[in-house]
Amino acid sequence: MAVKLANCESVFQNILSKIDTFLFDCDGVLWQGNIAVKGAPAVVTHLKSLGKQVCYVTNNSTKSRHRYVEKLNRLGFPADVNSVFSTAYTSALYLKNIAKVQGKVYLVGNPAMAEELDNLEIKHFGSGPDNQITTQDHDEVRSCVLENDVSAVLVGFDGHISYTKMIKAASYLNDPKCLYVATNEDHRMPLNGERHVMPGTGCVVASVTVAAGRNPDVIAGKPGTFMLKCIQQTVEIDPTKCMMVGDRMNTDILFGNQSELHTLLVLSGVEDQESLNKAVESSDPNMKRQVPEYCMGSIGDWENYL
């Protein structure tokens, strides 16, 4: 499967002629940490000036939509709350509108996820530090206080993940009627530097999954198609004229391909030329589904053609 190079003016103009909606991942595509990818704000602003629809679609659950708008605007990207779709928001939508939870949600997550649950008036508890149990002493584990009427366990990024939280989540999930929902399973986040690694939400999810002996419904984030349904509630999208731009093949590109969108992989985040070549050359059908239609070094490369 041949991947077209997108970092030339003729391909850029061709994409502009047939695409009217761009879905951008954020981490590794538009920014690295708190620094915008060079040229990216100018490119996205230009797309908006041409009348293109621009949405920001991220698996990162650590910010609410309002906080994402603040960061996007601060870094020079045009955005409002209706153009942002994060897993903190879409997981709350799923629990409210699809799962229709009636009881409480045990949240292994962060303040942004709690904020989005509050916005939809979903009862929840669990966010914040909780690490009183640090041994495998039977009496100590049995002393862990469990709430009643817990309908779901929602797991996202939680910097306070602990043995206590694993005990509580697994205990609630002992009940087969209790839903187990995870925002995403990204194993790492993009991080410049040769030594340090930034574990992703998938590491938190894995700890609960192993303890519970159950697999989660990973619905709210990419590559799940529920994310696209959430976007389509706000934005009118023609899949034949929509492009997903991302830096990760097993989430962003797979999401785009499964949704029958055009796909563009940038090598400014998780993936590199070696991992792209491996996918292209693979005979594994699962890997083939992750191969993008287009590829380029950075979305900022298009700044030269504005």
Side-chain angles (χ1 to χ4, degrees):
M1 182 182 297
V3 179
K4 305 168 191 172
L5 294 178
N7 58 341
C8 67
E9 186 169 7
S10 62
V11 175
F12 176 50
Q13 294 301 329
N14 180 257
I15 288 173
L16 289 181
S17 71
K18 66 182 181 181
I19 301 298
D20 61 20
T21 303
F22 289 85
L23 308 181
F24 287 100
D25 180 48
C26 297
D27 297 283
V29 176
L30 302 180
W31 58 64
Q32 293 277 5
N34 290 313
I35 301 174
V37 169
K38 185 178 183 298
V43 168
V44 176
T45 300
H46 180 68
L47 294 176
K48 286 286 290 183
S49 73
L50 294 177
K52 307 296 184 182
Q53 294 188 115
V54 171
C55 295
Y56 306 96
V57 185
T58 174
N59 275 1
N60 192 325
S61 66
T62 61
K63 290 182 177 63
S64 66
R65 289 187 299 160
H66 289 93
R67 295 291 179 268
Y68 267 113
V69 170
E70 291 175 0
K71 180 170 184 176
L72 285 158
N73 291 164
R74 185 173 70 252
L75 295 181
F77 298 98
D80 58 42
V81 71
N82 291 322
S83 65
V84 175
F85 300 87
S86 71
T87 52
Y89 171 60
T90 55
S91 59
L93 275 182
Y94 175 78
L95 290 172
K96 180 76 171 183
N97 297 334
I98 306 300
K100 300 185 186 299
V101 291
Q102 298 298 313
K104 291 176 284 190
V105 173
Y106 179 57
L107 175 60
V108 180
N110 55 72
M113 295 173 69
E115 180 181 335
E116 297 290 7
L117 290 171
D118 287 338
N119 289 341
L120 294 181
E121 299 181 339
I122 298 174
K123 293 177 288 185
H124 64 90
F125 67 102
S127 179
D130 186 6
N131 59 358
Q132 72 268 28
I133 298 174
T134 57
T135 75
Q136 292 181 317
D137 179 82
H138 289 202
D139 290 335
E140 186 175 1
V141 171
R142 280 193 291 263
S143 73
C144 183
V145 177
L146 299 176
E147 298 269 349
N148 295 317
D149 192 29
V150 177
S151 297
V153 172
L154 172 60
V155 182
F157 176 75
D158 190 341
H160 298 292
I161 186 64
S162 65
Y163 191 53
T164 304
K165 291 193 175 191
M166 284 185 261
I167 291 170
K168 290 183 177 180
S171 298
Y172 294 130
L173 291 170
N174 254 341
D175 179 357
K177 295 179 182 178
C178 184
L179 297 174
Y180 179 18
V181 178
T183 58
N184 64 290
E185 293 181 305
D186 296 28
H187 67 292
R188 285 188 181 184
M189 296 295 289
L191 180 68
N192 287 329
E194 296 180 359
R195 294 187 63 191
H196 293 85
V197 169
M198 187 185 300
T201 297
C203 302
V204 179
V205 174
S207 68
V208 173
T209 296
V210 172
R214 286 177 57 180
N215 290 320
D217 292 324
V218 188
I219 293 173
K222 299 166 289 184
T225 55
F226 180 71
M227 176 70 87
L228 184 62
K229 293 177 182 177
C230 293
I231 298 170
Q232 289 174 318
Q233 290 179 4
T234 305
V235 181
E236 186 174 341
I237 291 178
D238 178 350
T240 66
K241 298 180 179 180
C242 180
M243 174 172 278
M244 178 68 218
V245 183
D247 70 318
R248 194 187 300 261
M249 289 186 292
N250 66 353
T251 55
D252 302 320
I253 303 306
L254 182 57
F255 166 75
N257 288 342
Q258 289 183 157
S259 303
E260 299 184 327
L261 312 177
H262 296 275
T263 54
L264 168 61
L265 176 72
V266 293
L267 304 181
S268 52
V270 172
E271 308 292 357
D272 56 21
Q273 192 64 52
E274 182 180 354
S275 63
L276 173 59
N277 291 343
K278 183 178 179 180
V280 170
E281 296 164 5
S282 175
S283 59
D284 182 350
N286 291 324
M287 290 293 289
K288 287 295 185 186
R289 285 194 286 269
Q290 300 176 25
V291 174
E293 180 181 1
Y294 296 93
C295 176
M296 63 193 297
S298 157
I299 197 69
D301 293 348
W302 279 345
E303 185 182 26
N304 298 322
Y305 314 126
L306 304 185

